[in-house]
Each structure stands twice: as structure tokens, then as C-alpha cells.
Amino acid sequence: MKKKFIFYLSIIVLMGSCYPNGADYYEELDIVYTDYDDEFDFASLGTYSIPDQIVKITGELLEGEDPEFVKEPQNSQMLAKIESNMTALGWTKTEDPAEADLVLFPAVWTNTTIYYWYDYWCWYYPYYCGWGWGYPSVSSYTTGTFVMTLVVDGDNYIDPARVWTGAVNGLLSGSYNVTRVNNAIDQAFKQSPYLKTN
Amino acid sequence: MMKKILVLMIFCSLFITTKSYAQQESYMSLQYSVSFGTGDLGDYISAASWRGALLEYRSAVKGKLMVGVDLGWNVFYEKKDYDTYSVGTESLSGIQYRYQNAVPILVAADYLILSSESLVKPYVGLGIGTIYNERSTDMGMYRWKENPWQFALKGELGLLYELSYRSSVKFAAKYYNGFKSNSLDGQSYFSLNLGMAWVL
């Protein structure tokens, strides 16, 4: 009986050990999200403006406090990639946002998630539960998000209105990878053909 | 990995049985299972599942009729190429990792086509019960998960080949059909199973 039990148990263990894994590389976790206002007529417009610095959103901004910005050269590289995509879609950049048909706001933020793995052993031995004995053995990862928002205002709008959002999310690897970021920005515009203007 | 499972099954079959298989009052069977999704499951994961196992118990009740229970586990997995998925005005691009665990738990009945004394025992079988499905779609750092229980039926065609008076090889082709639940269409798959059966 004991032999049978060990046999069946070993099968279950073997099955579990060959359970499929997921992503192997950071870039395999990159995703690109876009959304737009389908009643907005992009084709009838032609100019846009964009700040020359990308904002880092780190929390609630106190009154009078200046925001943080993405450092160079990453800032310029990302802005250049956005502008080349907008130009390819027929848009002309203007310096004054008051004169532009649309304003593109670029922003980034990061988020770190921590797993407390000792929480998962309460079922095994309640004495170990909640003491924090495993506290030093935490693992964490940091995700980065880059968002581009096209905003319209004017006489037809009570408040500025968001008409397009492009968001890039991925796992940060610790070093800036220009290829990953450029590919993701390109993809955001590629999957937004409705942005094309005349 | 699966080679190890088969070697282990054959090894154990030499030691853990105590009665003649010909008596065939009841037997336990453990099988390796290769499965292919059909219908909605086949659309979701087109790759074959090479990870699967099945535990069966059968007991003779009358003549050539045997009844018992099936407990299975099939793991379907596919890494999709980078693609764009759109719903309404929203689009999401990335690599999807698709997983589906199917755990059939069924009451089953097999009918031996030939005599129970013959060396080769082909049979037909039916099963009724439930399949627990756990479907996970991973994209980026996000996971979408559904885990419905579905009412299920199973059809089966197979044979037992008596290796010795204590154990047999069992081969079976099975078709599982789960019925639509609130969160998921009916999940169905075809599986080929090879394993050992031991008289209890």
C-alpha cells in the first residue's frame, strides 16, 4: 500500500515539475495599449504641440513644487521617436500649444511590487504564520509605464478632452533599453491608423 | 520527463500487484495522456497537450460491465506570437501565454466487447461528471483568469492487453465534452492514453 502511495505521489510531483513556464526575457512582457474617441475627426486636423520634457509622475504634486523629468538622453530619444511617428501620420509640430489643434502629453511612472512569500506557508505550519521570519527573503519587481495622451480643447469643449491614449507597460530591467522603448512607441502608433491626418 | 513516468509505471507494475488480473474483480489504472483541444479550447490553444495523466478505478458489476471513476489532469499551453487584440476602440499588443488545466472527474462505465478471459480486451466506455477548467491568459504583467466547473460527458474506445496475470497495458482514445458555463463556452478535447492497469 505504501509503495502504491509513493508511486502515485511521484507521478503527481513529476507532472508538477514539467508545468509550462512563461516569459524568459524582459521584452516578452512588454505590452502596448491604445484607446481613442471614435467620434473625433482626426483627419480634419493637422497640427500638434508637445512639451520638450517628459514628466515623471511620482505622487501627488504639492503646490509650487516642480515635477521631475526623464533624464537625458532618454528624454530626447523618446520625444524624437514620438515626433517621427506623428510626422509620418501627417501631423505638423507647432511650438505654441495654444495654436495647435492637439497637445500630446508624455509621462512616465514606475511601480514596485513586493511579494511576501511567507504568507503562503500558514497552511503548512500555523506557528510560522505571521511572524515575519521570512521578511528578508522578499522578491520584488519594478514595472514602468509610459503614457502618451492627445488632448483637444477649444470653443467646442468645456474642458480639455482626451481623444487618444497610448500606453506602454513593461518590466524594468535596471538599464534603459532604447530599442525596447522605441519599438513600443512605434507599436502604439502602428495600431492607431485612425490618427492619420490629411 | 514523460519517459521517466513511463519507466516508473512499468517498474512499479512488477511489484505492487498481488492478484491475478484474470480475476478482474477490480483494477486501478494509471495512464499518460496526450490531448488535443477541439472547439473553443482548440481555438484558444491549438498546440497539443503533452502533459497529462489519468487515474482510473474500475470494478466488475455484471458480466462484461465494469463501472468506476476517472480522475484526470491535462495541461494545455501555448505561447502566442506578438499580436494585437482589439475590442471596440481599445487595442492591446503583446505576447500572450495561454494556459488551461482541465481536470475531469467522472463516473464511468466500460463494456468489454470480448470475453473477460481473453488476452486482448477491447471495450467501449461512457462517462458522466464534471470538468474543472482553469484558464489563464498572461499578457505583460497581467493575468486574466477563468475557472468554471462544467457538466461533462465522455466517450471512450480502448483495449486492455494482458501482460501477465497481474497487470495489463491499457490504451484508450477518449473524447471529453464539457458544456457551456456562465464564463466559458463548452470545453472539449480528444485524448490518447497509454498506461498500466493493476488488479487490486
Side-chain angles (χ1 to χ4, degrees):
Chain A
M1 189 65 194
K2 190 178 177 183
K3 282 181 181 173
K4 284 185 183 178
F5 175 75
I6 292 170
F7 172 59
Y8 294 132
L9 186 64
S10 65
I11 295 299
I12 293 169
V13 171
L14 284 170
M15 281 287 293
S17 66
C18 59
Y19 197 79
N21 293 318
D24 295 317
Y25 303 100
Y26 286 106
E27 54 267 33
E28 291 180 346
L29 293 172
D30 291 346
I31 54 173
V32 177
Y33 168 85
T34 54
D35 189 20
Y36 71 106
D37 179 352
D38 58 355
E39 294 181 357
F40 187 77
D41 183 15
F42 293 96
S44 65
L45 306 175
T47 61
Y48 78 103
S49 70
I50 184 170
D52 59 5
Q53 288 186 299
I54 299 172
V55 171
K56 284 177 78 173
I57 296 174
T58 55
E60 190 175 359
L61 205 59
L62 300 174
E63 192 174 337
E65 185 182 9
D66 290 329
E68 291 183 39
F69 298 103
V70 171
K71 293 176 181 170
E72 296 293 352
Q74 292 92 329
N75 179 68
S76 296
Q77 289 170 344
M78 293 164 78
L79 289 175
K81 182 49 78 172
I82 293 169
E83 289 172 21
S84 69
N85 274 283
M86 288 295 282
T87 301
L89 288 166
W91 293 86
T92 303
K93 183 182 169 186
T94 62
E95 295 303 322
D96 186 356
E99 293 180 0
D101 295 326
L102 297 176
V103 180
L104 198 156
F105 292 105
V108 299
W109 68 84
T110 59
N111 178 46
T112 301
T113 305
I114 299 175
Y115 287 108
Y116 300 90
W117 67 283
Y118 57 82
D119 282 348
Y120 292 90
W121 303 105
C122 299
W123 63 272
Y124 176 62
Y125 189 18
Y127 178 75
Y128 283 173
C129 184
W131 284 85
W133 55 274
Y135 189 80
S137 302
V138 298
S139 61
S140 65
Y141 63 80
T142 302
T143 60
T145 305
F146 173 52
V147 174
M148 300 166 285
T149 309
L150 275 172
V151 175
V152 65
D153 60 18
D155 297 337
N156 297 329
Y157 299 90
I158 299 170
D159 295 314
R162 174 176 52 84
V163 291
W164 178 77
T165 301
V168 176
N169 178 265
L171 193 62
L172 296 185
S173 62
S175 60
Y176 179 75
N177 184 329
V178 66
T179 305
R180 273 179 74 190
V181 176
N182 282 348
N183 287 345
I185 293 172
D186 284 343
Q187 177 59 37
F189 287 97
K190 182 183 173 187
Q191 68 189 47
S192 307
Y194 41 80
L195 291 179
K196 189 166 178 57
T197 188
N198 296 320
Chain B
M1 189 57 69
M2 291 307 166
K3 280 183 183 174
K4 289 180 183 175
I5 296 174
L6 287 173
V7 169
L8 197 57
M9 285 196 296
I10 293 167
F11 178 77
C12 289
S13 73
L14 302 175
F15 296 101
I16 64 175
T17 55
T18 55
K19 293 182 182 176
S20 163
Y21 187 83
Q23 294 172 350
Q24 202 159 305
E25 291 170 351
S26 63
Y27 71 82
M28 186 77 85
S29 173
L30 185 67
Q31 298 156 41
Y32 169 61
S33 184
V34 177
S35 302
F36 310 87
T38 59
D40 183 71
L41 175 54
D43 292 340
Y44 179 67
I45 296 176
S46 58
S49 159
W50 297 94
R51 302 171 176 90
L54 180 67
L55 188 62
E56 291 180 345
Y57 169 78
R58 292 289 186 275
S59 180
V61 289
K62 188 178 180 182
K64 298 176 180 178
L65 184 64
M66 305 192 82
V67 298
V69 292
D70 291 3
L71 175 63
W73 182 21
N74 298 95
V75 182
F76 295 85
Y77 167 72
E78 187 170 20
K79 176 185 176 183
K80 306 296 283 188
D81 290 336
Y82 191 95
D83 205 352
T84 301
Y85 305 87
S86 297
V87 177
T89 59
E90 297 175 293
S91 296
L92 186 62
S93 296
I95 296 172
Q96 280 194 358
Y97 299 86
R98 298 179 175 183
Y99 307 85
Q100 186 151 334
N101 286 265
V103 181
I105 304 168
L106 304 167
V107 175
D110 296 342
Y111 183 78
L112 300 175
I113 296 169
L114 301 178
S115 162
S116 61
E117 300 299 319
S118 62
L119 196 63
V120 178
K121 301 178 183 65
Y123 68 91
V124 293
L126 291 172
I128 185 169
T130 184
I131 297 177
Y132 172 71
N133 291 284
E134 188 173 282
R135 173 180 286 194
S136 299
T137 306
D138 289 0
M139 200 172 179
M141 302 302 294
Y142 301 92
R143 166 169 285 188
W144 291 266
K145 197 168 182 178
E146 295 164 297
N147 50 359
W149 291 82
Q150 294 188 330
F151 173 69
L153 294 175
K154 177 203 70 172
E156 178 174 351
L157 190 62
L159 63 84
L160 287 150
Y161 178 76
E162 204 169 300
L163 284 180
S164 71
Y165 54 87
R166 300 185 300 182
S167 59
S168 292
V169 169
K170 186 169 187 177
F171 174 76
K174 302 167 189 275
Y175 184 74
Y176 296 92
N177 189 64
F179 289 83
K180 182 176 168 56
S181 54
N182 286 339
S183 61
L184 208 58
D185 283 342
Q187 301 297 294
S188 56
Y189 61 97
F190 175 75
S191 75
L192 297 172
N193 301 269
L194 180 64
M196 300 295 298
W198 303 280
V199 171
L200 298 175

